[in-house]
Amino acid sequence: MTEAAAVPAVDLPGGVRMPMIGFGTWLLRGREGREAVRAALAAGYRHIDTATMYGNEADVGHVLASSGLARDEVFITTKLPPGKAGRERATLAASLRALGTDYVDLWLLHWPPPERLLIPAWQEFLTLRDAGRVRAVGVSNYSLAQIDRLIKATGEAPVVNQITWSPGRYNAALLAGHRERGVAVEGYSPLKRTNLASPVLTEIAAAHGVTAAQVVLRWNLELGVPVLVKSAQPERIAANIDVLRFSLTPDEVAEVSALSR
Ligand SMILES: NC(=O)c1ccc[n+]([C@@H]2O[C@H](COP(=O)([O-])OP(=O)(O)OC[C@H]3O[C@@H](n4cnc5c(N)ncnc54)[C@H](OP(=O)(O)O)[C@@H]3O)[C@@H](O)[C@H]2O)c1
């Protein structure tokens, strides 16, 4: 079995399966970006997170085209910048062209657009999904109140809300609120916003013979929260997905979550 096959996946509405560990590509561009994405695919990542705003969709597309992997072996997310609300169709077409693909697996509104466009942008996302250019649609950096407005207007919830999520920002009520609405929380910046020298993390890490970063990423899996992680360094890229050979006890999960207090 390959490493990629071992990464658990979540079922999103519409029959779309999303691997729970995604490779983040913010700030990865040009040659360094391409090398990092190549290293990620070699390490077993099968979920790549990009965005129009990152300016690296063509780099991701270039690596995918030369990877030898079939299109349906890699889950690709990209995102519409809020300033492009109102130009959804053209922006998606540009993303698909840059990525060299006929469809993306997940398309997100990167940030809430201006108030008057909140509902129209979501309606256009649903239309483009129904046209088959996108398998699933979601949002990023939305509040539950904003999500409720989308549901009220269209009867359809985003499948994902991609938000900042790390031990220090653990919020049980926020997680439950998303789950009640059928929206998966997808966490970003798991490491950047974490003190990896915290004794809670280093002690749990020592007990399992892993690093504090691996504890944080495993904690996401234990909570059932898909996580995006970025690195430009091949050893870290490999280590960050190597979190399937150990698990955390319920007490350890609670200790990590308590770092938010
Ligand atoms: N929707 C949004 O608004 C939004 C916002 C932010 C991020 N995201 C997405 O989420 C992805 C992940 O978030 P992020 O890039 O902000 O933060 P992150 O993945 O938590 O952290 C990346 C930082 O941590 C370092 N790092 C990586 N692995 C490490 C390890 N094992 N030990 C110690 N340090 C390590 C990286 O440095 P090196 O590169 O030097 O290893 C980099 O400085 C992004 O790349 C992007 O795809 C989305």
Side-chain angles (χ1 to χ4, degrees):
M1 185 163 57
T2 64
E3 278 179 85
V7 173
V10 287
D11 284 308
L12 303 175
V16 178
R17 278 177 75 70
M18 181 170 80
M20 288 190 68
I21 302 176
F23 186 66
T25 66
W26 189 34
L27 301 179
L28 291 175
R29 297 171 70 160
R31 189 173 164 186
E32 183 196 48
R34 290 193 296 275
E35 279 173 9
V37 174
R38 210 169 279 126
L41 294 176
Y45 293 79
R46 292 294 180 270
H47 170 173
I48 308 287
D49 182 82
T50 180
T52 296
M53 260 201 273
Y54 299 170
N56 62 8
E57 288 169 313
D59 293 310
V60 171
H62 178 85
V63 174
L64 287 171
S66 58
S67 68
L69 291 165
R71 172 65 190 85
D72 64 3
E73 289 182 88
V74 185
F75 186 101
I76 305 175
T77 300
T78 194
K79 317 186 191 84
L80 178 105
K84 299 271 190 192
R87 282 173 288 160
E88 293 84 359
R89 189 174 291 268
T91 307
L92 178 62
S95 287
L96 296 176
R97 236 181 351 261
L99 285 162
T101 180
D102 293 340
Y103 70 92
V104 287
D105 296 280
L106 180 61
W107 193 35
L108 305 178
L109 282 138
H110 204 149
W111 289 87
E115 176 60 29
R116 69 191 163 79
L117 294 174
L118 194 83
I119 305 299
W122 183 236
Q123 281 164 332
E124 192 60 14
F125 261 53
L126 296 174
T127 299
L128 289 165
R129 179 205 58 194
D130 292 345
R133 314 303 304 277
V134 174
R135 294 179 70 215
V137 285
V139 297
S140 178
N141 302 301
Y142 276 49
S143 66
L144 286 175
Q146 287 168 322
I147 288 173
D148 282 340
R149 290 179 53 202
L150 304 185
I151 297 171
K152 191 166 173 217
T154 66
E156 283 215 53
V159 297
V160 157
N161 189 16
Q162 190 183 111
I163 58 175
T164 183
W165 184 259
S166 54
R169 289 168 182 238
Y170 173 74
N171 182 332
L174 189 64
L175 190 56
H178 282 86
R179 286 182 174 160
E180 279 159 21
R181 291 162 175 80
V183 181
V185 166
E186 184 183 35
Y188 69 71
S189 303
L191 304 180
K192 201 163 62 186
R193 306 204 189 282
T194 299
N195 173 14
L196 295 174
S198 142
V200 167
L201 296 176
T202 56
E203 280 167 27
I204 295 173
H208 293 279
V210 298
T211 65
Q214 287 171 313
V215 170
V216 172
L217 297 167
R218 182 73 216 186
W219 168 80
N220 277 274
L221 300 190
E222 305 290 358
L223 291 175
V225 174
V227 61
L228 299 171
V229 60
K230 171 261 174 188
S231 176
Q233 304 184 36
E235 321 78 58
R236 286 179 172 176
I237 290 171
N240 291 343
I241 199 173
D242 182 19
V243 295
L244 306 170
R245 60 191 164 82
F246 73 102
S247 52
L248 303 179
T249 65
D251 283 351
E252 289 170 334
V253 172
E255 275 183 70
V256 176
S257 301
L259 288 170
S260 57
R261 288 199 207 119

